[in-house]
Amino acid sequence: MKISISSTREEKIAIGTKFIELLNKNYIEFAGITGSVSYIPEPYDDIDIFIIAKTGMAWKSILDAILKRRIYKLNDICISLVMDADFAFSYFEKLTDRLIIRDALKTIPVYGQTFYHDIILNCPAIASILGLNGSTNNFYRGGKRNATAILAFLLLSPLILAKSIYNNFKGMKAGEGFDIHISFNSFYLDSYKYRILREKFMREEAENGKIFHSDSHI
């Protein structure tokens, strides 16, 4: 039986929304669904979750997300991109990668939509695409590191790194893989498949000019 693309997408969005509703909002400013589900997913695609934690709480939010994923057996969830608000402010302010910009605009906000809209406007290209003035909000800068946040990072990051390296090894054997980026303020995976997609996207832009569309979810 053929599964319709629309029903697959709706089911995955429902699962991603359920997962985000379970997250501890004391740790996060924003959570949304990104990756293939925000476009046109295949039935076997993971549901990529993008989290912006409160400043200094990236690893508390990661621990909470991992526990909720396991407790509620939401195995299709992939916690692929986490950054705290301080990191996010700087990240979007400096963002020039047009494929990431497109993905940022296609991200489906589930919690903290106003916060997300405000912080991505720090990216001049995004502000231009949306036809809006850039954000002037500096509220997200200058967060503090507390002892429990540092402890969460020190305890959890080595375990995440080890598991990611193991998964990456398996992925490379299957012709896939990814680079792992870990810091106190962020965790994200940069897949080789995404690099190929980026190269294809850049070629299409070079051949056809700008190919952004006004179908943003923001």
Side-chain angles (χ1 to χ4, degrees):
M1 181 178 70
K2 185 176 181 180
I3 301 174
S4 74
I5 291 172
S6 60
S7 65
T8 297
R9 186 172 186 271
E10 288 168 5
E11 288 169 8
K12 288 182 179 293
I13 289 173
I15 295 169
T17 299
K18 175 184 176 181
F19 173 75
I20 289 170
E21 288 173 348
L22 294 169
L23 298 178
N24 188 332
K25 306 308 186 294
N26 292 322
Y27 299 153
I28 66 174
E29 299 281 10
F30 163 80
I33 300 166
T34 190
S36 62
V37 176
S38 65
Y39 291 92
I40 303 175
E42 298 290 343
Y44 52 79
D45 284 344
D46 289 334
I47 304 165
D48 291 303
I49 302 297
F50 176 18
I51 295 172
I52 301 179
K54 294 182 178 180
T55 297
M57 293 192 177
W59 289 89
K60 283 186 175 182
S61 73
I62 291 171
L63 177 59
D64 176 60
I66 290 172
L67 290 175
K68 298 292 170 53
R69 178 183 182 274
R70 177 157 295 192
I71 290 168
Y72 292 94
K73 296 181 171 58
L74 297 171
N75 298 325
D76 288 341
I77 294 293
C78 178
I79 306 159
S80 58
L81 177 58
V82 181
M83 57 182 70
D84 74 6
D86 206 41
F87 184 96
F89 185 99
S90 176
Y91 178 84
F92 283 107
E93 192 175 41
K94 300 172 183 176
L95 182 61
T96 58
D97 186 314
R98 294 184 65 80
L99 181 57
I100 295 178
I101 288 169
R102 186 180 70 168
D103 287 351
L105 288 167
K106 292 294 290 184
T107 292
I108 303 170
V110 176
Y111 174 81
Q113 181 170 357
T114 300
F115 175 92
Y116 186 65
H117 182 270
D118 189 44
I119 207 163
I120 67 171
L121 285 179
N122 287 293
C123 172
I126 289 178
S128 175
I129 291 163
L130 296 178
L132 299 170
N133 294 324
S135 174
T136 58
N137 195 337
N138 292 321
F139 172 78
Y140 313 110
R141 287 179 167 166
K144 296 180 179 179
R145 302 181 178 189
N146 59 49
T148 55
I150 294 172
L151 183 62
F153 170 65
L154 293 175
L155 292 177
L156 192 57
S157 60
L159 299 176
I160 295 259
L161 180 60
K163 188 173 189 301
S164 297
I165 290 172
Y166 173 70
N167 288 340
N168 191 28
F169 177 73
K170 290 197 301 181
M172 289 175 70
K173 289 179 69 175
E176 299 180 359
F178 50 82
D179 288 335
I180 307 153
H181 299 265
I182 288 180
S183 73
F184 177 78
N185 302 98
S186 66
F187 164 75
Y188 62 96
L189 305 174
D190 185 13
S191 71
Y192 301 157
K193 185 187 296 184
Y194 197 79
R195 291 182 188 177
I196 294 169
L197 182 61
R198 180 182 289 112
E199 291 171 0
K200 178 182 177 183
F201 180 79
M202 291 174 67
R203 285 196 303 271
E204 289 176 351
E205 274 209 322
E207 293 170 2
N208 305 318
K210 295 179 182 179
I211 56 174
F212 278 107
H213 305 287
S214 57
D215 58 348
S216 164
H217 293 130
I218 307 306

